[in-house]
Amino acid sequence: MSTAPASDDRRPEPAAEPAPKKPKPRLVFDDPLDQQSSDDTDRGWGERPPAAGSAADLARFLDEKPPHHL
């Protein structure tokens, strides 16, 4: 008696497709000094965007208060 199945109903598994390759970063030959850096903005220096209202003014005052004014 044979242990092999009478008919082979198994289908071959499809070959796994290779993972798509990430494109290489393109080279940029622009002048880096033509672009604005974060240090060129008020936000880069830690400034907050202008906010209206006395609560925002109080928060800024308390954040920027010198230590000898505690």
Side-chain angles (χ1 to χ4, degrees):
M1 184 147 82
S2 172
T3 58
S7 65
D8 193 6
D9 291 336
R10 291 182 286 165
R11 295 185 181 143
E13 294 181 16
E17 295 180 18
K21 294 181 181 178
K22 290 184 180 179
K24 292 182 180 179
R26 61 185 189 102
L27 296 176
V28 178
F29 293 103
D30 295 340
D31 185 4
L33 298 178
D34 286 342
Q35 300 172 2
Q36 186 178 30
S37 70
S38 63
D39 287 349
D40 293 337
T41 63
D42 291 338
R43 191 154 185 87
W45 283 87
E47 294 289 324
R48 296 181 184 174
S54 61
D57 291 338
L58 178 62
R60 181 176 177 182
F61 170 75
L62 294 174
D63 285 347
E64 296 180 0
K65 186 170 48 171
H68 62 276
H69 285 268
L70 294 175

